[in-house]
Amino acid sequence: TEARFRRREGGTGMAAGGSGSPWAMAINDLTKLADGGEAEMQEGLARCYAHGILVAQDFAVAVRYFRLAANQGNAAAQYWLGVMFECGTGVERSESQAVSLYERAAAQGDVRALAQLGVAYEKGRGVAQSDTEAAARYAAASEFVYGRGATPELVGGAALFAEAIRHLEPIGERTAPKSFTYQLAVRDMVLASRLGHAGAIEKLASISSRREVVSECCM
């Protein structure tokens, strides 16, 4: 849905048209449901504001709705709110708060949160550095749902790589290397590479060769 909306808007991230347009009506309906307390709608609306889909990009509003959904136990919102805290986007940067949110999402099996915890332990971000703990989180991300012995290339890593490509496709990977959406795509690419996905490793090498600016918190 997110990619479809963005393609219809031409990949610009522009807000929807006039108040009577179908897109404005859609965002109004989504807002009503979110304000009514539906966690999934809150998380979806937060992503709209974070990426500038159908609405003007507003990180503070995105954080507010991510927080509402996260407080209701929505794993995706917990992960994304963790990203906002780790990067200091729309909220004061706090790596420890980010890790706390990743832990909550990971406890519900969010593969991105599990992999991101691996990065946190590997880099010592918000937690004491530990290669052992990092390896355990990467293994858990690879094995989740599919069971022990799952191949990173085919499961966890592939899922993250697919998410990265999903972010890149509607914006065009050469058109907005400094955009929030592009940075998130690179972030998922890094997570996929940590799980051993060959395609992600190759793509990251290409990004590096073009010397594109990537936020430190993505790496």
Side-chain angles (χ1 to χ4, degrees):
T1 300
E2 177 184 318
R4 175 170 58 86
F5 284 157
R6 189 173 289 276
R7 282 195 292 271
R8 290 294 292 270
E9 290 295 332
T12 63
M14 297 191 311
S19 60
S21 74
W23 305 116
M25 293 169 64
I27 205 68
N28 287 339
D29 289 343
L30 182 59
T31 301
K32 287 178 182 178
L33 291 169
D35 289 342
E38 295 193 26
E40 288 188 11
M41 301 302 104
Q42 291 166 345
E43 189 270 336
L45 184 60
R47 283 190 290 110
C48 285
Y49 277 103
H51 294 288
I53 303 169
L54 301 182
V55 294
Q57 192 172 53
D58 190 324
F59 294 131
V61 175
V63 166
R64 177 161 66 87
Y65 280 107
F66 276 138
R67 196 189 300 273
L68 288 171
N71 287 342
Q72 293 195 68
N74 184 282
Q78 290 166 349
Y79 169 76
W80 288 117
L81 186 58
V83 171
M84 305 299 267
F85 270 106
E86 184 174 359
C87 296
T89 303
V91 68
E92 185 175 351
R93 187 175 184 182
S94 173
E95 292 181 338
S96 60
Q97 184 67 32
V99 167
S100 176
L101 286 158
Y102 294 149
E103 290 281 11
R104 290 166 62 188
Q108 299 187 68
D110 189 292
V111 67
R112 294 167 301 187
L114 284 163
Q116 194 59 52
L117 283 171
V119 175
Y121 278 105
E122 180 183 344
K123 301 291 186 179
R125 295 176 179 169
V127 291
Q129 196 282 332
S130 171
D131 291 338
T132 300
E133 292 292 340
R137 298 311 190 282
Y138 291 143
S142 295
E143 295 170 358
F144 178 69
V145 175
Y146 297 89
R148 292 191 174 278
T151 306
E153 176 73 18
L154 300 177
V155 288
L160 290 165
F161 183 69
E163 183 73 5
I165 296 301
R166 187 177 71 85
H167 276 121
L168 287 175
E169 283 181 341
I171 63 171
E173 62 181 290
R174 291 182 180 272
T175 61
K178 294 183 180 179
S179 74
F180 181 67
T181 300
Y182 184 87
Q183 298 292 319
L184 291 181
V186 173
R187 186 184 185 88
D188 282 333
M189 203 78 71
V190 169
L191 295 181
S193 72
R194 291 293 203 286
L195 300 186
H197 191 280
I201 295 170
E202 180 179 350
K203 190 68 119 175
L204 280 175
S206 174
I207 289 171
S208 178
S209 69
R210 296 200 296 265
R211 298 184 179 180
E212 293 172 359
V213 178
V214 178
S215 172
E216 179 184 351
C217 77
C218 292
M219 306 300 285

